[in-house]
Every structure is written in structure tokens, then in C-alpha cells.
Amino acid sequence: MSSFVRGARGESRKTIAGPAGALEVAVNPPADTVSEPRGIALVAHPHPQQGGTLDNKVAQTLAKTFAALGYVGVRFNFRGAGKSEGVFDDGRGETDDALAALAYARSEFPALATRAPVLAGFSFGTFVQTRVAHSVAPERMVLIAPAVGRFSGEYVPENTIVIHGEEDDVVALRDVFEWARPQQLPVIVFPGCGHFFHGRLPQLQRTISGMWQR
């Protein structure tokens, strides 16, 4: 395993033993270093076969948003992405990767080990998090540009935050509504916004922070 590396603003990265070999993990500590962390927020990145990694700007924004809210923000690279070993497994192995990253975070922050984590994801990462939620009951879920074609029949907790771009050309907004409608789940729509939220990341952070119950 590679050595511990500390980045800007306290972010740390290392590789741990994962289900398919090395698993790269990045941790953003809470911005408030005085109070005890509120919990762990696990963030999953977009499709690794389409360039998605833990360095994706939406994934980074999610982690930093939760760090600002007092959580430990935890990102990881799915197998085959970045320094994580293994090959793409269409969500099955990636779910195991997510659970391994969560287990690592709980071992590093034992006081948070029994608290329900926040499960957040972007695009393909939302699909993985719906699978993780079968094994770990979340405090709350945050789904950005949810890949509803992969989990069209999946119900999520009623307090889930769903945010989608009006002009998303990867996942059509109408498909998100079709998925959300049977469960009466609100969907926040960013007008004029595409799949990758270019130029809208500060707004994304403000929206999530504003909806969070302190």
C-alpha cells in the first residue's frame, strides 16, 4: 500500500486493502476542528469508464460541502480508476468498494462507527449508493444527476435530496421525474444546467447546505 499523503486544506489520501486490491481513498476532515464530527459522508464518483474519478468536480464539491457541515467527507476511486486496482464490475464490485471505504473511515473515526452515514453520489455513483443503502441504512442520501436508468424501480428514503440539471443530456429530466413520481419524491431542478453542473458548483453547495437539518 502507498504511503499517507496530505493535500490542500487538510485533505488526505492513501491506498488501503480493498476487495479487488488497492483502493484509493480521500478524506476531507470537518471544517470545524473543535467540535466532534457529526458523522461520515461517503461520496461516490461518476462512471469510471467515462473518465469518472474521485477528482470529479461534483464529487469534490459534495465532499467539501459535507466537511463544511461538520462531517468527515470520504471519497474513493472505484476499482480500475486512479490508484485503485481491479476492473469495472457494472456496480456489483463497486458497491463492495464503497462498503470497504466506509469500513475504513469507521476504523479511522471509531466514535462515528455506529452512526448512520450520509450516502452521496453523482451520476453512476448514485446507482452504487442505492445498492450500498441495501446494506447500510443511511442518515440521508444526496443524489446528483441520478442514473435512474440503472435503478428505475428503486425507492429511496423520503428525505433524500435529488438535484438534476434541466438540460442534462446524459440522464433526461423526464426520466428522473418518472422515477421520482411514484414515491412523491421532490426533485430540485437547476434551470439551464447540464449533466456536469459547469459553473453551478457553488450553487450546488449552497442548495445542499441550505436543505440540511442542523
Side-chain angles (χ1 to χ4, degrees), residues 60-127:
Q60 287 183 325
T61 296
L62 286 170
K64 292 175 182 177
T65 298
F66 287 113
L69 289 168
Y71 291 82
V72 178
V74 179
R75 289 169 291 143
F76 60 98
N77 267 327
F78 290 129
R79 54 189 62 197
K83 296 181 180 178
S84 292
E85 297 176 339
V87 295
F88 180 68
D89 194 30
D90 202 33
R92 295 175 294 271
E94 288 75 13
T95 302
D96 294 336
D97 296 338
L99 290 169
L102 177 60
Y104 163 75
R106 285 173 162 172
S107 70
E108 289 292 295
F109 300 90
L112 308 178
T114 60
R115 297 186 188 180
V118 173
L119 300 180
F122 170 45
S123 195
F124 174 79
T126 66
F127 166 55

Side-chain angles (χ1 to χ4, degrees), residues 47-206:
H47 205 299
Q49 291 189 321
Q50 297 171 11
T53 73
L54 61 78
D55 287 316
N56 170 268
K57 295 300 183 182
V58 175
Q60 287 183 325
T61 296
L62 286 170
K64 292 175 182 177
T65 298
F66 287 113
L69 289 168
Y71 291 82
V72 178
V74 179
R75 289 169 291 143
F76 60 98
N77 267 327
F78 290 129
R79 54 189 62 197
K83 296 181 180 178
S84 292
E85 297 176 339
V87 295
F88 180 68
D89 194 30
D90 202 33
R92 295 175 294 271
E94 288 75 13
T95 302
D96 294 336
D97 296 338
L99 290 169
L102 177 60
Y104 163 75
R106 285 173 162 172
S107 70
E108 289 292 295
F109 300 90
L112 308 178
T114 60
R115 297 186 188 180
V118 173
L119 300 180
F122 170 45
S123 195
F124 174 79
T126 66
F127 166 55
V128 173
Q129 294 292 37
T130 61
R131 292 175 56 90
V132 171
H134 293 168
S135 300
V136 179
E139 174 189 343
R140 198 170 188 181
M141 298 185 74
V142 178
L143 308 179
I144 309 301
V148 294
R150 287 180 172 266
F151 58 85
S152 58
E154 189 78 43
Y155 275 59
V156 295
E158 63 181 11
N159 66 346
T160 297
I161 295 175
V162 180
I163 301 177
H164 206 78
E166 178 191 19
E167 299 178 0
D168 192 319
D169 61 353
V170 176
V171 182
L173 178 59
R174 65 177 179 276
D175 293 339
V176 177
F177 283 146
E178 287 294 325
W179 162 72
R181 188 174 296 112
Q183 48 192 317
Q184 299 183 342
L185 185 68
V187 178
I188 300 168
V189 179
F190 279 23
C193 181
H195 186 70
F196 293 98
F197 289 80
H198 293 309
R200 309 294 284 273
L201 296 178
Q203 183 182 26
L204 183 64
Q205 183 168 9
R206 290 192 302 269

Side-chain angles (χ1 to χ4, degrees), residues 5-42:
V5 178
R6 185 169 295 279
R9 298 185 180 181
E11 179 183 296
S12 62
R13 297 189 183 203
K14 68 182 303 184
T15 52
I16 63 172
L23 183 70
E24 186 176 12
V25 179
V27 176
N28 289 87
D32 181 358
T33 58
V34 177
S35 303
E36 179 181 333
R38 298 174 66 179
I40 295 168
L42 185 69

